């Protein structure tokens, strides 16, 4: 399978990249022209005396040069903001299509670290360094043409710097560019994983306060930061060794040109204006060569970033269907050998749920209850399940999940307002929103001092278990699903609050399919159908 994320980027941002190149070309051109005008002014001054007009032209060109640099800086900061905003969103959109198991395997904090690093790396190299190479190459050509007019031998010496530095670079690497890329990929991977681990440690506030005077938790932090710094030393020292040797070679070649320019002046083969001009453009020329050659080292980071997108994200997309079902009337299936790898939780089972059914799903802990309901939403793959007579794998994922609401035991909350947690940032019709505000379970929020504008702390630390479930109930109401799955959803709250909420759900959605997983008979008594998983068999009682 081939992936073309880098080509996607060019297609999305080619206009901005072309503008970037144009501005850099203007800067590069004026940087070469300004010394040429100064050289001409000096030559005229030596012959005919001080020439105000030429000096004025030089100052004007210099002013235009820095005005364009000012414009370029504004453009670059604008482009940086646009690129990072859009690409972060695009990468997360890709991640949302990754399979359920792969997201859990990578872990959310790791994903966030890698996305942030990937976007920054790709922008810095793909949209800055690579466009700079194009301009630098043109600058090198222009400078060579200008030097040719002054002295052919010097032009040849300038030209020889390119193959000498390039092949010196290749010889120095000795075919180990792949090692640079591999080191970069490993560094990005290790940094993301260990930063994720440190965030996980600090997020458990209860454990931190309980053990703040002990070395145990700090040892986790030390181990994680040690893993990062060790890999940073390994990767950066290797790259820096190469850069230092290249810098030494470049300096030798650059000084040889300075000596030859001095020789030309002493022997009368170049005038003082030529010498000043050559000295001014020498830095421009060698900087341009360095950018063209050193990009091969910098590309190690770009390769690692693109590799993350292609190998860890795009290669793990979940399968999707193309059928958009109408209102879900029934769910049925005959399933076999459900589980993880070699571990089989359910060896066989059959079921049929109809609109209006309230199903109690029971079984021992670890028997496969959550696994079964996650298959209904296509979080996990399964053969043999049908919805409205259509094979589950043929149904479009987005359409299916809009019609099935899965409420897990640990419902996620966002560090935003209560309203934003209920709407999840989506636009809600005003009529629907007013209906929600009239619901009994919403009144506690409305009567509080901050109301629905109250900010929810990370993991809902400033909310009770019942308040968290009320937010989930609000989400259910706004989504208005055909199937509601309550997976141990009331374990974190008292039975009275759980009873009130489940009564509210059953009253609002009496004509829907509702599946309840619970060990409490208080909740299961409302069901008209029971499904049990026992001895690795799923049976309807």
């Amino acid at each position: 399978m081939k992936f073309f994320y880098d080509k996607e980027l060019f297609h999305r941002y080619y206009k901005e990249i072309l503008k970037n190149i144009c501005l850099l070309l203007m800067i590069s051109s004026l940087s070469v022209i300004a010394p040429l005008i100064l050289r001409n002014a000096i030559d005229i001054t030596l012959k005919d005396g001080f020439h105000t007009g030429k000096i004025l032209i030089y100052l004007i060109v210099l002013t235009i040069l820095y005005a364009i640099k000012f414009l370029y800086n504004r453009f670059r900061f604008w482009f940086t903001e646009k690129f990072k905003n859009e690409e972060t969103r695009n990468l997360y959109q890709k991640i949302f299509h990754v399979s359920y198991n792969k997201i859990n395997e990578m872990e959310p904090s790791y994903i966030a670290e890698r996305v942030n690093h990937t976007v920054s790396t790709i922008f810095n190299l793909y949209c800055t360094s690579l466009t700079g190479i194009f301009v630098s190459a043109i600058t090198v050509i222009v400078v060579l043409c200008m030097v040719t007019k002054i002295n052919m031998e010097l032009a040849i010496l300038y030209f020889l710097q390119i193959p000498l530095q390039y092949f010196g670079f290749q010889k120095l690497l000795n075919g180990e560019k792949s090692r640079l890329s591999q080191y970069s990929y490993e560094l990005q991977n290790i940094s993301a994983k260990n930063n994720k681990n440190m965030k996980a440690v600090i997020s458990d506030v209860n454990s931190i306060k309980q053990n703040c005077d002990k070395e145990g938790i700090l040892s986790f932090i030390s181990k994680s930061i040690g893993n990062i710094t060790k890999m940073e030393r390994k990767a950066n020292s290797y790259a820096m060794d190469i850069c230092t040797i290249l810098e030494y070679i470049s300096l030798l070649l650059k000084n040889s040109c300075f000596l030859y320019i001095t020789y030309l002046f002493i022997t009368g083969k170049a005038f003082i204006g030529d010498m000043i001009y050559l000295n001014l453009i020498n830095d421009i020329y060698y900087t341009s060569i360095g950018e063209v050659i050193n990009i091969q080292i910098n590309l190690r980071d770009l390769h690692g970033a693109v590799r993350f997108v292609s190998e860890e994200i795009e290669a793990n997309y979940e399968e999707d269907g193309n059928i958009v079902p109408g209102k879900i009337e029934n769910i049925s299936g005959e399933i076999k050998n459900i589980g993880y790898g070699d571990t089989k939780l359910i060896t066989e089972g059959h079921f049929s749920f109809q609109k209006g059914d309230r199903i109690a799903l029971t079984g021992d802990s670890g028997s496969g209850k959550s696994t079964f309901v996650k298959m209904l939403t296509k979080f996990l793959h399964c053969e043999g399940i049908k919805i409205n007579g259509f094979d589950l794998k043929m149904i479009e994922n987005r359409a299916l999940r809009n019609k099935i609401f899965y409420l897990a035991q640990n419902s996620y909350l966002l560090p935003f307002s209560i309203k934003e947690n209920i709407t999840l940032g989506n636009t809600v019709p005003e009529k629907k929103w007013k209906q929600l505000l009239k619901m009994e379970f919403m009144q506690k929020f409305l009567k509080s001092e901050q109301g629905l504008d109250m900010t929810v702390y990370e993991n809902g630390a400033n909310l009770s278990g019942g308040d968290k479930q009320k937010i989930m109930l609000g989400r259910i109401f706004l989504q208005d699903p055909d199937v509601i799955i309550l997976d141990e959803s009331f374990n974190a709250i008292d039975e009275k609050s759980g009873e009130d909420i489940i009564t509210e759900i059953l009253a609002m959605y009496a004509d829907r399919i509702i599946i309840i997983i619970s060990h409490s008979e208080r909740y299961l008594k409302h069901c008209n159908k029971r499904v049990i998983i026992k001895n690795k068999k799923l049976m309807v009682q």
Side-chain angles (χ1 to χ4, degrees):
M1 182 179 287
K2 295 182 178 180
F3 306 102
F4 304 100
Y5 180 61
D6 49 348
K7 293 183 179 180
E8 287 180 24
L9 289 173
F10 183 78
H11 179 73
R12 278 198 289 270
Y13 301 107
Y14 74 92
K15 291 181 180 178
E16 289 82 2
I17 291 173
L18 289 176
K19 290 177 183 177
N20 192 57
I21 290 174
C22 289
L23 288 170
L24 286 173
L25 276 175
M26 286 190 283
I27 291 172
S28 178
S29 300
L30 291 172
S31 297
V32 174
I33 291 171
L36 189 62
I37 295 172
L38 184 60
R39 170 203 171 196
N40 190 29
I42 292 172
D43 287 341
I44 292 175
T45 299
L46 292 174
K47 291 179 181 179
D48 305 324
F50 189 77
H51 198 287
T52 307
K54 292 291 183 180
I55 298 298
L56 183 61
I57 292 174
Y58 170 73
L59 292 175
I60 291 173
V61 171
L62 200 63
T63 302
I64 294 173
L65 168 62
Y66 278 87
I68 295 175
K69 283 187 175 182
F70 180 83
L71 178 64
Y72 173 71
N73 288 336
R74 290 299 181 90
F75 169 78
R76 189 170 181 274
F77 288 131
W78 169 82
F79 186 25
T80 302
E81 180 183 6
K82 172 184 171 70
F83 183 92
K84 290 186 175 181
N85 284 343
E86 293 183 359
E87 278 319 296
T88 299
R89 178 186 174 90
N90 288 334
L91 277 185
Y92 274 110
Q93 189 172 37
K94 285 178 176 289
I95 288 166
F96 292 164
H97 293 290
V98 172
S99 68
Y100 181 88
N101 285 337
K102 183 61 180 179
I103 290 178
N104 282 325
E105 177 189 326
M106 289 194 291
E107 298 181 282
S109 295
Y110 167 80
I111 292 172
E113 286 285 336
R114 288 305 302 269
V115 167
N116 183 55
H117 188 276
T118 295
V119 171
S120 296
T121 298
I122 289 176
F123 176 80
N124 290 335
L125 294 167
Y126 190 88
C127 300
T128 302
S129 296
L130 294 182
T131 55
I133 286 179
F134 177 76
V135 175
S136 296
I138 293 177
T139 301
V140 168
I141 294 171
V142 172
V143 170
L144 285 174
C145 293
M146 301 302 298
V147 174
T148 301
K149 293 182 179 180
I150 297 174
N151 184 277
M152 180 57 72
E153 291 81 4
L154 183 61
I156 293 173
L157 184 59
Y158 266 66
F159 176 76
L160 288 176
Q161 314 303 312
I162 301 172
L164 285 173
Q165 289 209 43
Y166 180 79
F167 290 113
F169 173 84
Q170 294 294 336
K171 184 67 176 177
L172 184 62
L173 283 183
N174 194 26
E176 291 192 28
K177 285 188 292 184
S178 60
R179 184 189 292 186
L180 286 174
S181 297
Q182 184 62 31
Y183 278 172
S184 175
Y185 181 75
E186 290 177 13
L187 177 58
Q188 293 174 31
N189 193 21
I190 288 173
S191 295
K193 285 183 177 179
N194 285 277
N195 281 323
K196 175 264 297 181
N197 291 342
M198 287 188 284
K199 286 182 179 178
V201 170
I202 198 67
S203 66
D204 189 353
V205 181
N206 294 328
S207 294
I208 290 174
K209 301 305 293 182
Q210 183 72 34
N211 298 279
C212 60
D213 294 327
K214 301 177 183 178
E215 291 295 321
I217 289 182
L218 284 176
S219 69
F220 295 138
I221 299 289
S222 298
K223 182 178 179 180
S224 296
I225 196 66
N227 290 336
I228 295 173
T229 54
K230 181 179 179 180
M231 191 62 216
E232 282 179 341
R233 175 178 56 80
K234 184 177 180 180
N236 293 335
S237 62
Y238 181 79
M240 190 56 65
D241 288 346
I242 292 175
C243 289
T244 301
I245 297 173
L246 285 175
E247 184 180 352
Y248 170 71
I249 295 172
S250 177
L251 183 62
L252 289 179
L253 296 172
K254 183 177 180 180
N255 286 342
S256 68
C257 285
F258 273 122
L259 291 172
Y260 193 72
I261 292 169
T262 304
Y263 166 76
L264 291 176
F265 176 71
I266 293 173
T267 57
K269 295 181 179 180
F271 300 107
I272 189 171
D274 295 331
M275 186 174 180
I276 292 173
Y277 174 72
L278 290 170
N279 284 329
L280 286 173
I281 66 169
N282 216 28
D283 285 335
I284 297 173
Y285 180 75
Y286 276 95
T287 299
S288 298
I289 289 180
E291 287 178 355
V292 173
I293 293 175
N294 288 334
I295 191 63
Q296 296 185 65
I297 293 179
N298 296 333
L299 280 173
R300 69 187 180 114
D301 293 326
L302 182 62
H303 292 155
V306 173
R307 184 175 166 186
F308 164 70
V309 177
S310 61
E311 294 183 9
E312 295 194 55
I313 298 179
E314 294 177 328
N316 291 287
Y317 278 176
E318 61 184 349
E319 295 182 1
D320 201 356
N322 54 18
I323 293 177
V324 178
K327 191 175 183 63
I328 295 179
E329 303 286 340
N330 59 78
I331 305 174
S332 62
E334 293 190 12
I335 56 177
K336 294 182 179 180
N337 299 322
I338 303 303
Y340 299 93
D342 295 331
T343 302
K344 302 303 178 186
L345 299 175
I346 304 173
T347 56
E348 62 177 301
H350 59 86
F351 61 92
S352 178
F353 307 145
Q354 306 297 323
K355 182 176 69 172
D357 278 346
R358 302 173 180 179
I359 302 103
L361 179 57
T362 62
D364 295 336
S365 296
S367 61
K369 301 185 295 297
S370 294
T371 299
F372 171 68
V373 293
K374 286 175 183 176
M375 292 188 303
L376 301 181
T377 57
K378 293 180 71 174
F379 291 174
L380 301 175
H381 176 73
C382 180
E383 299 286 344
I385 297 177
K386 294 184 177 182
I387 291 182
N388 291 353
F390 294 109
D391 194 306
L392 188 62
K393 65 182 179 182
M394 299 171 61
I395 296 177
E396 183 185 85
N397 296 344
R398 181 177 179 180
L400 177 70
R401 291 161 190 167
N402 280 335
K403 293 179 179 296
I404 299 179
F405 190 100
Y406 175 68
L407 180 57
Q409 177 179 348
N410 297 316
S411 304
Y412 71 97
L413 293 173
L414 307 175
F416 302 113
S417 70
I418 290 178
K419 180 178 179 180
E420 289 169 320
N421 268 277
I422 294 174
T423 65
L424 292 177
N426 296 313
T427 301
V428 179
E430 185 177 356
K431 182 179 179 180
K432 190 77 173 177
W433 182 249
K434 287 181 177 179
Q435 287 178 330
L436 175 62
L437 295 183
K438 293 178 181 178
M439 298 289 178
E440 179 63 30
F441 65 87
M442 290 291 294
Q443 301 312 305
K444 180 181 177 180
F445 296 137
L446 296 176
K447 293 176 182 177
S448 66
E449 183 177 350
Q450 293 177 285
L452 297 179
D453 294 326
M454 185 183 83
T455 299
V456 176
Y457 294 169
E458 188 174 349
N459 298 322
N462 58 334
L463 294 177
S464 67
D467 288 343
K468 294 177 184 179
Q469 295 306 316
K470 289 174 182 177
I471 289 175
M472 296 302 125
L473 187 55
R475 290 181 186 176
I476 294 175
F477 179 81
L478 294 181
Q479 182 172 323
D480 194 26
D482 296 338
V483 179
I484 299 170
I485 300 172
L486 305 175
D487 186 357
E488 305 281 5
S489 303
F490 309 116
N491 285 5
I493 59 178
D494 64 272
E495 289 191 344
K496 175 64 170 60
S497 298
E499 177 75 12
D500 291 342
I501 292 174
I502 201 168
T503 300
E504 192 94 34
I505 292 175
L506 295 173
M508 286 193 293
Y509 302 104
D511 61 338
R512 316 294 168 90
I513 297 174
I514 299 176
I515 301 174
I516 303 174
I517 300 176
S518 178
H519 293 286
S520 174
E521 191 61 35
R522 179 186 288 268
Y523 306 134
L524 301 181
K525 68 182 181 181
H526 298 283
C527 300
N528 66 333
K529 184 176 289 187
R530 294 214 173 203
V531 175
I532 185 172
I533 300 175
K534 189 175 182 180
N535 298 325
K536 297 187 177 182
K537 294 183 179 180
L538 183 145
M539 302 168 287
V540 179
Q541 293 183 329

